[in-house]
Every structure is written in structure tokens, then in C-alpha cells.
């Protein structure tokens, strides 16, 4: 009975419950031992309601979970301009991290910081911490940052090595200090 009522709600393309309706669908399917149907059901719903941002983001998260990273990325990139919160940025950061795309990741982090300000950075805390724990992506990000710095300075002979840069290669974690509008982050090696 609950499943049919939920299906009617979803088929009517209602949005009043936001992502909660899709989470309920996932939970119900799991309890009915039909969890493997979730992604295809979400894809069908999303095809009928392509401007429903919570639905699209929920689908992108499920695609990420089943390692359909390119599909997940496409949805996030299409929906970020339509969203007013961090959901799309956070999801796309996870996707780009997993795909090891340092240039795109740096660009996205800059866009997110510029659009969302200090409050957005506080919300990025967990993602920044995961990135900082991944030595491979840190090396790629440092190399990309060096490349971008050299390009911005217009000089190919800029020395971006030395002891100051070497310490950036160590695994780091991100620690938040303070909360609220004056929150900040410290990288701890």
C-alpha cells in the first residue's frame, strides 16, 4: 500500500517532499528486497522530470554509489546552475576526486568558494579532508596548481620546488577551527 501511494506521488511529479520522497523510495525498495531496481526507477522518473533538482541530485548520488561516475558527473554539471545549495558542488567534488581530475577539481573548488563564500567552505570541510588524505590526488593537485601558477605568471622558468613545496607532498588532514561566520581551516601534517 505504501509503495503504491509513493509511486502515485512520484508519478505525479510532485516536489513538496524534496529528496525525502526519493529516500523513502530507496528504503521501501530495500525492505521489499528490490533495492536493485532503485537506479532504473530513478532514471525513469528523472527522464520525465528533468528540472527536478532534488530528484536529479539523488539519482546522481546513487549513480556515484554504483560507480557510474560519468553519468553522475553529467547530472551534477547540468544541475549545479539550477541549484541554490551545496549539494551539487559536494557531489561533483566527490566524483572528480574519484576520477582523479585535478584541473577540473581545482576549478570546481574555486567556483564553489567564489559562489558560496565562507559558509560554503565550512560545508566543504569533509570533502577537503577526504581530498587531503589522498596522497595521489594531492600530488596531482600540486602539479596542476604549479602549472596554473606558471601560466598565470607567464614564465616557464618559475621555480615552484624547494622545501616550501616539498612539505605539501606529505599527507595532510584538514581541521576546522572555530565555527560560524569566522570558521576557518588548518591543514595539519
Amino acid at each position: 500500500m505504501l509503495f503504491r501511494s509513493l509511486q502515485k506521488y512520484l508519478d505525479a511529479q510532485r516536489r513538496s517532499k524534496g529528496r525525502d520522497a526519493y529516500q523513502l523510495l530507496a528504503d521501501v525498495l530495500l525492505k521489499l528486497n528490490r533495492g536493485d531496481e532503485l537506479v532504473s526507477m530513478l532514471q525513469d522518473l528523472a527522464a520525465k522530470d528533468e528540472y527536478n533538482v532534488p530528484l536529479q541530485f539523488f539519482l546522481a548520488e546513487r549513480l556515484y554509489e554504483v560507480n557510474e561516475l560519468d553519468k553522475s558527473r553529467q547530472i551534477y554539471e547540468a544541475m549545479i546552475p539550477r541549484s541554490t545549495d551545496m549539494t551539487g558542488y559536494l557531489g561533483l567534488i566527490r566524483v572528480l576526486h574519484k576520477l582523479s581530475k585535478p584541473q577540473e577539481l581545482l576549478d570546481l573548488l574555486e567556483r564553489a568558494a567564489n559562489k558560496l563564500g565562507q559558509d560554503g567552505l565550512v560545508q566543504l570541510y569533509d570533502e577537503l579532508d577526504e581530498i587531503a588524505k589522498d596522497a595521489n590526488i594531492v600530488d596531482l593537485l600540486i602539479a596542476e596548481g604549479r602549472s596554473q601558477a606558471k601560466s598565470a605568471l607567464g614564465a616557464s622558468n618559475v621555480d615552484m620546488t624547494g622545501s616550501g613545496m616539498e612539505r605539501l607532498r606529505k599527507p595532510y588532514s584538514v581541521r576546522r577551527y572555530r565555527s560560524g561566520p569566522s570558521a576557518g581551516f588548518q591543514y595539519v601534517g
Side-chain angles (χ1 to χ4, degrees), residues 69-77 92 95-96 104:
L69 301 178
D70 290 328
K71 290 178 183 178
S72 179
R73 178 182 181 171
Q74 289 173 348
I75 293 170
Y76 282 125
E77 288 174 343
L92 187 53
V95 169
L96 294 175
E104 293 93 338

Side-chain angles (χ1 to χ4, degrees), residues 37-51:
E37 298 176 32
L38 178 63
V39 171
S40 64
M41 290 181 85
L42 290 171
Q43 287 173 320
D44 291 343
L45 291 168
K48 296 174 193 171
D49 197 1
E50 65 187 56
Y51 297 107

Side-chain angles (χ1 to χ4, degrees), residues 9-29:
Y9 173 87
L10 297 172
D11 287 340
Q13 297 180 1
R14 293 188 170 162
R15 300 180 185 181
S16 62
K17 302 296 181 197
R19 81 176 265 117
D20 291 342
Y22 311 111
Q23 185 60 56
L24 181 59
L25 175 64
D27 295 343
V28 168
L29 286 174

Side-chain angles (χ1 to χ4, degrees), residues 23-155:
Q23 185 60 56
L24 181 59
L25 175 64
D27 295 343
V28 168
L29 286 174
L30 202 60
K31 289 208 187 274
L32 295 172
N33 292 320
R34 294 174 52 191
D36 57 333
E37 298 176 32
L38 178 63
V39 171
S40 64
M41 290 181 85
L42 290 171
Q43 287 173 320
D44 291 343
L45 291 168
K48 296 174 193 171
D49 197 1
E50 65 187 56
Y51 297 107
N52 184 335
V53 175
L55 167 58
Q56 297 290 337
F57 283 160
F58 196 82
L59 171 58
E61 290 168 14
R62 300 298 80 76
L63 289 168
Y64 174 84
E65 290 172 359
V66 297
N67 215 31
E68 293 280 346
L69 301 178
D70 290 328
K71 290 178 183 178
S72 179
R73 178 182 181 171
Q74 289 173 348
I75 293 170
Y76 282 125
E77 288 174 343
M79 292 294 113
I80 283 174
R82 296 184 177 138
S83 177
T84 58
D85 66 16
M86 287 291 295
T87 305
Y89 286 105
L90 294 172
L92 187 53
I93 287 167
R94 282 190 292 275
V95 169
L96 294 175
H97 176 197
K98 195 166 187 178
L99 288 170
S100 292
K101 299 285 187 178
Q103 181 179 3
E104 293 93 338
L105 186 54
L106 279 176
D107 292 343
L108 181 63
L109 288 168
E110 180 183 13
R111 280 193 347 231
N114 287 337
K115 180 177 181 184
L116 303 163
Q118 185 67 27
D119 289 338
L121 290 175
V122 170
Q123 293 178 15
L124 287 173
Y125 172 78
D126 290 335
E127 298 312 317
L128 292 172
D129 192 41
E130 285 304 308
I131 290 168
K133 291 175 185 174
D134 182 344
N136 182 51
I137 196 72
V138 169
D139 283 344
L140 292 171
L141 288 168
I142 290 170
E144 180 60 31
R146 285 178 177 162
S147 174
Q148 288 183 13
K150 285 181 181 181
S151 294
L153 295 172

Side-chain angles (χ1 to χ4, degrees), residues 106 131-147 149 159-174 186-189:
L106 279 176
I131 290 168
K133 291 175 185 174
D134 182 344
N136 182 51
I137 196 72
V138 169
D139 283 344
L140 292 171
L141 288 168
I142 290 170
E144 180 60 31
R146 285 178 177 162
S147 174
D159 182 15
M160 300 292 292
T161 61
S163 62
M165 293 304 289
E166 290 304 315
R167 71 183 187 88
L168 292 176
R169 284 203 171 90
K170 296 187 335 191
Y172 281 82
S173 65
V174 179
Q186 177 180 15
Y187 292 91
V188 181

